[in-house]
Amino acid sequence: MTAGETGRMHYGWVVVGVMFVAQMLAIGTTSYGFALLVKPISAEFGLPRADVNLGLMILLIGMAIASPLVGKLLDRIPGRIMVALGAVLFGLGAVSIALAKSLWVMAAAAFFLLALGTAILGPLAAATLTSRWFDEGRGRALGVVSVATSAGGFALMPVMALMVEQLGWRTALAALGLLVTLLVGGLALFFIREPARASAPGTPQPAVDPDARWTAKRLLRTADFWLIALAVGLLFAVDQALLASLVAYGTDLGFSLAASAMLVSAISISAIVGKLVVGSLADRVDLRWLFVVLAVMTELFLAILLAQPGYVMLMAASLIVGAAVGGSSPLWASFIAARFGLASYGGVMGLMVMIQVPLTLTALRYIGHVYDVDRSYSAALVAFMVVVAIAALVILPVRLRRAAAETPASPLEHQAA
């Protein structure tokens, strides 16, 4: 590593720090903080809680639709401008929702402003900007920055809960929106920089040209794009469905609500460790087989759920699978960099998000439907075991780095060329 690289790599951690704060506040306020708004919004508007929950779906759908555009812009516009813009949009969305008296206005603000702002400040931008700064140790850096989404739940939830209780949900949401605009926007403008990408003579070159551009049309005609998007998307979908149902599953077995909620907390804590460990391993281990290991861990968890074990066994299984749940995020980011390079990194990830979100929504709907019909999750758990096995098989043909240079291109790639 040259002296210049040392300085560049060192400054990359500053960018990681800024994106850590951005994700922690944005995801903490929305994905985690939404749970604190359900009861007060339900009471104020006289809505069933199921209808209030549509607000989170509107946000997720808006983020999915915006992700391809956000990814493409991240590849073309300086990161500091994009993150500052995201902070402004997030603040406008939060304040608009806080001031709105109409549910339609709230929905529009969530879809057009808050969703776009969250997409820019979330994992998509964090992984894109982090990957630009790190050649060696990229997986470790991605693991660290991905911890921010978990930290948002731990660090921001208690603060937001106190604010909602003392100030009301509208004032709390507006204040957090303004905080994101001022703090994250300021940090972005002052501290986010673009790296100078120059390879020293004699440096081994990856099979994928980091400066190669990938258009959406070319990606959609490339087999590896679909293999990675589907494999990771299927694993994400199963993970989210299990997390959403685990508390209900625990109470069905006779455990208390608090004890069942602790299972989710155990997964969240273990996920932080998983992000750091898997991120570091991604720099040393074949990404495909690392993915298979995460899939096997998920399969074991599903098998244990099917057996309806005692609480101690269930807690131990939750701690183990949490590492897989957390590790899948930096692993996905590493796959994109290893296969498609850096020039179109944001566009690739953004397009994959749009494909993956429908899988997650389908899994969430499916597991709830199975329980409503059978009064049991067993059929869904068996189906998810099949899905995870398919995901593990789908990832294996993906061509990465040196292997990519030695393996003939797929027929789809020949067409794309």
Side-chain angles (χ1 to χ4, degrees):
M1 182 181 295
T2 66
E5 278 184 333
T6 301
R8 178 167 63 84
M9 294 287 280
H10 173 72
Y11 195 84
W13 289 108
V14 176
V15 177
V16 167
V18 174
M19 294 313 300
F20 193 101
V21 173
Q23 286 186 101
M24 184 175 68
L25 292 176
I27 302 302
T29 302
T30 54
S31 296
Y32 289 99
F34 181 84
L36 299 172
L37 306 181
V38 172
K39 288 185 69 175
I41 291 177
S42 175
E44 180 175 330
F45 289 93
L47 293 172
R49 293 183 188 180
D51 289 350
V52 178
N53 286 340
L54 291 174
L56 183 57
M57 292 189 67
I58 289 172
L59 180 70
L60 292 175
I61 293 171
M63 289 175 63
I65 293 175
S67 289
L69 173 62
V70 170
K72 184 175 292 187
L73 292 176
L74 282 166
D75 294 330
R76 288 163 172 76
I77 297 176
R80 65 187 185 90
I81 302 299
M82 282 296 294
V83 175
L85 174 62
V88 171
L89 290 171
F90 187 96
L92 287 174
V95 171
S96 297
I97 293 172
L99 296 176
K101 301 300 181 183
S102 163
L103 291 172
W104 288 106
V105 173
M106 293 170 67
F111 186 84
F112 291 105
L113 295 174
L114 193 62
L116 182 55
T118 306
I120 296 174
L121 300 180
L124 172 56
T128 300
L129 299 184
T130 298
S131 293
R132 288 179 189 168
W133 276 97
F134 292 87
D135 294 322
E136 296 178 7
R138 178 180 292 136
R140 180 164 60 99
L142 289 169
V144 171
V145 80
S146 67
V147 169
T149 55
S150 301
F154 284 107
L156 197 64
M157 281 288 279
V159 176
M160 187 172 175
L162 182 63
M163 292 176 67
V164 170
E165 186 177 52
Q166 298 296 323
L167 305 175
W169 75 268
R170 291 182 181 274
T171 302
L173 185 60
L176 288 170
L178 291 174
L179 174 65
V180 169
T181 297
L182 296 175
L183 178 59
V184 176
L187 289 174
L189 291 174
F190 282 102
F191 294 107
I192 292 182
R193 300 178 188 171
E194 300 298 320
R197 305 209 60 85
S199 300
T203 300
Q205 295 297 310
V208 179
D209 179 3
D211 297 319
R213 288 283 180 183
W214 289 82
T215 64
K217 181 179 180 180
R218 183 184 175 196
L219 285 170
L220 293 175
R221 297 175 63 183
T222 301
D224 285 346
F225 171 82
W226 286 102
L227 294 175
I228 296 173
L230 290 175
V232 175
L234 290 173
L235 192 61
F236 279 176
V238 171
D239 287 343
Q240 291 303 311
L242 292 177
L243 284 171
S245 308
L246 193 55
V247 172
Y249 171 89
T251 55
D252 287 346
L253 292 183
F255 308 131
S256 69
L257 181 62
S260 299
M262 280 298 296
L263 298 173
V264 178
S265 297
I267 291 177
S268 300
I269 294 171
S270 179
I272 294 177
V273 178
K275 288 175 179 179
L276 296 174
V277 172
V278 173
S280 295
L281 289 175
D283 295 323
R284 302 172 176 84
V285 180
D286 188 313
L287 301 179
R288 293 163 294 194
W289 291 108
L290 192 53
F291 183 92
V292 170
V293 171
L294 300 189
V296 170
M297 292 168 67
T298 306
E299 292 279 27
L300 290 174
F301 185 63
L302 288 165
I304 290 172
L305 292 179
L306 273 172
Q308 299 185 355
Y311 188 76
V312 174
M313 174 66 76
L314 195 55
M315 175 59 75
S318 297
L319 287 169
I320 293 172
V321 80
V325 172
S328 57
S329 295
L331 185 57
W332 173 38
S334 296
F335 264 114
I336 294 174
R339 178 59 183 90
F340 299 103
L342 301 177
S344 301
Y345 187 100
V348 175
M349 180 172 275
L351 194 57
M352 284 189 182
V353 169
M354 195 169 183
I355 294 169
Q356 293 166 349
V357 167
L359 296 175
T360 297
L361 295 177
T362 299
L364 288 168
R365 174 66 179 172
Y366 173 72
I367 195 169
H369 174 73
V370 167
Y371 182 83
D372 290 339
V373 172
D374 298 342
R375 312 310 295 176
S376 168
Y377 290 112
S378 295
L381 296 175
V382 172
F384 285 162
M385 292 182 75
V386 174
V387 168
V388 173
I390 292 172
L393 293 174
V394 164
I395 204 68
L396 292 178
V398 172
R399 304 181 309 118
L400 298 174
R401 294 181 177 173
R402 190 170 300 279
E406 297 170 353
T407 305
S410 69
L412 285 175
E413 283 211 279
H414 283 305
Q415 294 176 20

